[in-house]
Structure formats: structure tokens, C-alpha cells
Amino acid sequence: WYGGASVRGQSWPINDQNATTKLFTVSDLKDNPSGYGSALERYFLGSSGVAVFVSPDIPLQLGLDSRQQFCLQSLPSMERLPLQYTVCVAHNVRAAHQEAMQQLSQHPRELPNMKTLWLPFWKLLAKVDSGPKVERELRTFSNRLRRHQLGEGVISLNEHSTNLLSDMDHDYLNSRKRGISKRLSRDLPLVKLLNISITLSPFLGVDTRQFHASLTDGTEDYWLSLPSTPQGQLIPVMSHWRGTFCVKLNITNPGAVSWFLDRVESLQAHLGMEYIMLEGGEGNLFEEQTLRPPEALSGDRYIRLLADVATRMGDSTIVTAGTRSSHKPLFVRMTPLQSDWSPMGLKGIIPSLLHHTLLGYNFLIPDAVGGSLSGDLVTDEELFIRWLEIVAFLPVISFHTPPWVCGEDRVLNLTRALVAKHQRDVVPLIEKYAEEWRLTGNPIYRPMWWLSPSDPVTFTIDDQFLIGDEVLVAPVVEKGAVRRDIYLPDGGFQWQDSRSAQVFDGGTSLQDYPVPLEDVAVFIRRS
């Protein structure tokens, strides 16, 4: 089954009388019950050609019973609501998925800013305590990228650095913009000269002057609140975000949303940035009680409403959670992964990719090369290279660890080569199939069964993927491996190795196929 809440990069066998199935997932819910993936829909797809989608307004539990049967139920602690669901049956898994997608999203699909696909994202890791220091770090990092000939890209600032820049003294900034002297003028304005992305969230610290002002100027209802008594005054609900006690934007209050969007507009004028990462949209049942008007407590209404706000911020906005918003012109950041070879690390990339795209979220910002969950720099050269080889074929390449940290010229050379390959070969392919997605809902990135929906061998392959119907990518995901098994799906066509030009029939299993460290196995479909 492909579906919403799941196990990152792992496969759980599900009993199915008609076919072999797997549950491809993005978080280990057994060990981490709150670890949902960044894109969730109440949609489940089985390899026997059965699709199930559940009403979005009913609180839902998902699990496996003692017989390994796939189970859905409404929450027993809530008002007893009937579990509303639809079952779609088709002659194969692809047909079931295509029909289900028409039912799941009936909105016109819009493309985000496709220019984003051409630009690698580089995370600025500076630990500083003032806006001017952020500027200096930006200058240093930008110069280093230029010195290493890594081309144009986007430098990503976290929320802390964003706040430091936004709080910079306006007189200081204005004096820089005017250029007090010719010596300074060549540096001005630094932030606006750079391609940066900033990070925002709907949270506001309770120790900030903005929050204190809201308690006295009548805007305390800008934050999620609950009444102190059934008819009493609304009291803002306390949250915890990035180690700080905060309140969270009341996204159902038009005044609060206007205030937030005004802040974004001010930052755009202030910093000149084009890209915005909007974090912290994930909701929970407790928060849902604070939304007005009250509706069924499904737990995902806040995410959906925040996506509406993100859309108003522009088509270069990146969100970290999505539900019922795959049709919107947004990018979605994939779940951060561990810096290792496990299903929670490198092996989790492709299952997570297929999870997102089958749910309609094709425009992805994958986790940074080497993984970013721990926040540490990656020093494993082989892991860095194999990770880079995968994300070079995804919509956007992002970096947490700069390639020069690995210390070898070949890592820098390979980074330049794969960024160039991404721009030369991959982006035009994505643009081609993006138009197909817009018209039909077919995913840009596809599992092996997409071309052989009746071939049970394809149902369990989670380390290969297709771009459209014409390119098959089979990266190495095992540490130390320079060979791997590859399966070429059948469909009355052949596959040509992009390196050797050797041609193979569809339906062929290639055993121990050579894939040296600096190569990726890529096959082109031939009629």
C-alpha cells in the first residue's frame, strides 16, 4: 500500500490475497508516533488495483492488526462518527491510481516557479548574534561558492538568521543603501545582491514586544486561543518552538493573516529575497479545537489553511507540510534524514520521493546532500557522493554540508559535474512531464510498476525510480557497493544504458551490474 502515515524508507508486508504489496512510508510511527511525513493524504493504494480514500473531516487512526491486516478506524475517544471512505477498484494498480487522483484533487493544478529547479540551495550554517554578522557570513560564503566555481544558487537562512536580518537597525540599512562613501558603495546593499531564501514560521515568542503589544491593543485573538471559561475571555495557547515558548498564528482570523502577510511584504522590500521557507505548519488535535469556526477535529486543517497563506506569498514559497494542497503552486520540503545508509537515511530518499509524487507533490526540495537531521556536517565522502548522485535527478539539489568539507578535489569536481547535469538533462525532463502532470495528474517521478502494472516484481522495488516514461534511475544505496541488481520493467520496449549504449529487453534482471562510485546507472527507454 502507498499511503499517508508510514515508516520512513522501510517496507511492511501487508497480507493481500491477490498480490504482493508493500507499505512505503516516511516515518517510523512505531518508534516515533509523532513522526509523520511532510505530505499526508487519506489515500491508500494497493498493488491489486484497489484504492481507498477516507473523508478528510473524520479523525482517523491507521494501523496493522495481529493478522497483519491493514486497518482504519475513527478515534474511539471522539464523538462516535461513521468512518466515511470510498473504495476504487480497477484492473491494475496504475489504473486505480489514475482514477483515484481524479477523485482526490478536482482543483486545477498550478505550477510553481520553475526557475527554482535550476538553482542549488546552500544552507548558511553561521552561528551569529546580529544582523551585520549575518551579512558578513553571507559575503564570506558567497565568495567561497564563487571561488570554487559552484555557480549561481540560493543561500538559505534559518529562522534565527532571518529574524536577525529583519531586526537590523533601519538607519544602518538606509545609510548603506544610500552609499555614504564610494568605498562602501560597491558593497551595497549586500543582502539584495545575493539570491537568498529566508525562513519564517507562524510562531511568535511570548517574550517579544509584538506579543506583549497584542495583549494591550486588542489583537490577542491573532493567536490560537481558548476561552478561560465557556463564555470567558480568550487566552492565547502556549506552544513550544525551537526551544522557546511561543504563541501560534490564528490562521482563521483574517486580521492575523493580513498582519503576517504584511510582515512578509516588508521583509521582501527590506531584503529583496525571492524564496521563503514556511515552517511549522503541522497541526494537532489540541490546536484544532482553537480554530474558528469549529469543525470536525481532523488534525490537518491548520496545514491546509497555511498552504493557502503560502500561496499568497508567491509561487517560490516552500512549505514543510502539505495536505489537500498538491494542486497549489508550492514547493514541499521532504522530511529531514539521518546522515547514514539506513532506511532513515540514504535508503529513505527514493521511498519518500515516490510517496510524495504519488500523492501529487511533485515539486520537492529533498533533504540536503548527506542528510541534515543531526545538524552536523557530513564527513563520509562515499555517503556524500552516493547521496549527491540521487538528488541530482530530483527537482532541486540542496546542500547542508559544502562539498569542500570532504577535502578532496574529486568531490568538488563531481559536485560541479552533477549540478551541470541536473541543469542540462534533468530540469528539461521535469519541465516536460510537469505539463503532463498539470493536465492529467500523472506523477513526474514514477515507481517501476507504472510501466508494468501487472508485473509483481515491480511492486517491491524501492531503490529505483522513473522520470516520466523514458528515464530509469538506479542509484547505489549500499555502503561500499560498486555493483547492484537492476530490474528493467517490461512493456514491449527496450532500455539503453546511457553510459555504455548497451541495449536490454524490458523485463530483464541485471545481476551485479557495475556502478562505480562516481557513476549512476541510468537507462533510456527505446521503442
Side-chain angles (χ1 to χ4, degrees):
W1 294 83
Y2 290 86
S6 356
V7 177
R8 181 188 295 139
Q10 292 185 349
S11 307
W12 283 0
I14 308 294
N15 287 350
D16 185 327
Q17 295 178 352
N18 301 315
T20 301
T21 61
K22 276 191 172 186
L23 181 62
F24 286 99
T25 59
V26 292
S27 287
D28 190 340
L29 300 186
K30 181 178 178 182
D31 297 331
N32 181 16
S34 64
Y36 292 91
S38 55
L40 294 175
E41 302 291 348
R42 292 154 175 260
Y43 168 57
F44 307 90
L45 176 65
S47 58
S48 57
V50 178
V52 179
F53 41 99
V54 184
S55 169
D57 298 320
I58 304 297
L60 182 67
Q61 287 183 334
L62 174 144
L64 301 174
D65 66 12
S66 58
R67 298 171 298 165
Q68 295 292 289
Q69 298 294 317
F70 170 67
C71 299
L72 300 171
Q73 71 174 29
S74 55
L75 298 182
S77 60
M78 306 295 293
E79 177 185 354
R80 299 192 68 83
L81 298 172
L83 184 62
Q84 301 172 22
Y85 60 91
T86 302
V87 178
C88 177
V89 180
H91 61 280
N92 62 44
V93 61
R94 173 173 167 173
H97 176 72
Q98 290 174 313
E99 177 60 31
M101 281 295 100
Q102 298 305 315
Q103 300 296 325
L104 190 65
S105 178
Q106 299 180 355
H107 301 278
R109 302 176 189 89
E110 299 180 70
L111 299 177
N113 182 358
M114 302 298 279
K115 184 182 77 172
T116 308
L117 306 179
W118 295 84
L119 302 173
F121 277 62
W122 303 90
K123 189 165 186 177
L124 185 70
L125 300 176
K127 295 182 180 180
V128 294
D129 57 6
S130 71
K133 289 180 181 178
V134 174
E135 275 202 313
R136 286 198 292 272
E137 291 292 337
L138 276 169
R139 185 195 312 279
T140 299
F141 191 73
S142 176
N143 289 339
R144 194 157 193 179
L145 288 174
R146 193 177 303 111
R147 187 164 66 250
H148 288 298
Q149 301 175 358
L150 288 166
E152 184 183 5
V154 179
I155 302 177
S156 302
L157 304 179
N158 61 22
E159 190 173 12
H160 175 67
S161 293
T162 298
N163 290 334
L164 290 175
L165 282 181
S166 66
D167 291 340
M168 284 176 70
D169 181 77
H170 284 267
D171 292 337
Y172 167 78
L173 282 177
N174 289 334
S175 68
R176 288 176 64 86
K177 291 175 185 176
R178 289 193 298 269
I180 294 175
S181 69
K182 292 182 179 180
R183 180 180 62 83
L184 289 175
S185 63
R186 64 177 177 270
D187 300 328
L188 308 177
L190 171 64
V191 173
K192 285 194 174 185
L193 288 174
L194 296 176
N195 217 359
I196 66 170
S197 75
I198 64 169
T199 301
L200 300 174
S201 78
F203 293 96
L204 181 68
V206 296
D207 59 349
T208 60
R209 63 178 183 273
Q210 296 99 319
F211 174 65
H212 292 165
S214 73
L215 298 179
T216 58
D217 64 10
T219 58
E220 66 273 8
D221 59 347
Y222 277 18
W223 321 114
L224 295 181
S225 305
L226 287 173
S228 55
T229 63
Q231 303 298 326
Q233 180 182 2
L234 290 176
I235 304 298
V237 173
M238 198 80 71
S239 300
H240 205 248
W241 175 250
R242 302 290 191 225
T244 304
F245 286 108
C246 298
V247 288
K248 193 170 185 179
L249 189 73
N250 180 2
I251 206 158
T252 58
N253 183 328
V257 171
S258 294
W259 170 84
F260 187 79
L261 291 175
D262 286 345
R263 183 190 175 206
V264 173
E265 185 176 346
S266 175
L267 284 170
Q268 286 175 323
H270 192 44
L271 304 177
M273 81 290 173
E274 184 173 357
Y275 301 94
I276 302 172
M277 175 84 74
L278 186 54
E279 295 185 327
E282 297 80 352
N284 56 56
L285 288 178
F286 178 74
E287 285 181 357
E288 296 284 306
Q289 299 177 61
T290 67
L291 298 180
R292 300 290 184 268
E295 295 180 0
L297 303 180
S298 61
D300 57 15
R301 187 177 169 210
Y302 197 99
I303 302 175
R304 177 166 50 87
L305 293 175
L306 194 65
D308 295 337
V309 174
T311 303
R312 294 170 64 181
M313 291 161 56
D315 61 2
S316 299
T317 305
I318 304 160
V319 294
T320 58
T323 185
R324 285 180 281 169
S325 56
S326 62
H327 61 285
K328 295 182 180 297
L330 299 170
F331 287 86
V332 177
R333 188 183 70 184
M334 292 169 65
T335 308
L337 297 170
Q338 295 178 358
S339 299
D340 58 32
W341 299 82
S342 74
M344 305 291 282
L346 179 68
K347 287 189 179 72
I349 301 173
I350 296 174
S352 184
L353 168 72
L354 298 178
H355 166 95
H356 283 78
T357 59
L358 284 169
L359 295 181
Y361 298 88
N362 290 277
F363 302 99
L364 304 165
I365 307 291
D367 191 31
V369 173
S372 68
L373 191 61
S374 69
D376 297 329
L377 296 180
V378 179
T379 57
D380 183 337
E381 180 182 307
E382 182 189 3
L383 179 69
F384 186 95
I385 290 173
R386 289 305 193 189
W387 203 299
L388 176 61
E389 289 170 347
I390 297 176
V391 300
F393 290 88
L394 303 193
V396 176
I397 304 176
S398 64
F399 293 90
H400 176 85
T401 300
W404 56 79
V405 168
C406 292
E408 296 246 358
D409 286 343
R410 72 166 177 170
V411 176
L412 273 167
N413 292 336
L414 188 62
T415 300
R416 296 187 197 102
L418 286 173
V419 168
K421 180 176 181 61
H422 172 84
Q423 295 169 336
R424 182 185 66 246
D425 299 335
V426 178
V427 173
L429 202 58
I430 295 173
E431 291 175 333
K432 171 183 175 181
Y433 284 97
E435 184 61 21
E436 180 181 325
W437 168 78
R438 191 182 66 82
L439 296 174
T440 68
N442 290 342
I444 297 173
Y445 292 88
R446 302 169 181 178
M448 292 300 102
W449 52 256
W450 191 266
L451 294 179
S452 299
S454 299
D455 182 353
V457 175
T458 63
F459 299 155
T460 59
I461 297 174
D462 61 359
D463 59 358
Q464 301 177 192
F465 60 90
L466 299 166
I467 307 178
D469 282 348
E470 59 187 282
V471 174
L472 184 154
V473 184
V476 169
V477 297
E478 297 289 345
K479 182 176 177 61
V482 292
R483 295 177 175 271
R484 60 154 295 167
D485 296 342
I486 299 171
Y487 185 73
L488 305 176
D490 199 2
F493 41 77
Q494 295 179 312
W495 295 95
Q496 185 175 40
D497 187 324
S498 63
R499 295 173 299 160
S500 68
Q502 190 173 359
V503 176
F504 302 90
D505 292 331
T508 300
S509 292
L510 305 177
Q511 304 295 319
D512 289 331
Y513 201 73
V515 189
L517 177 59
E518 297 182 19
D519 283 328
V520 188
V522 179
F523 294 82
I524 311 300
R525 175 178 160 177
R526 300 297 180 209
S527 301

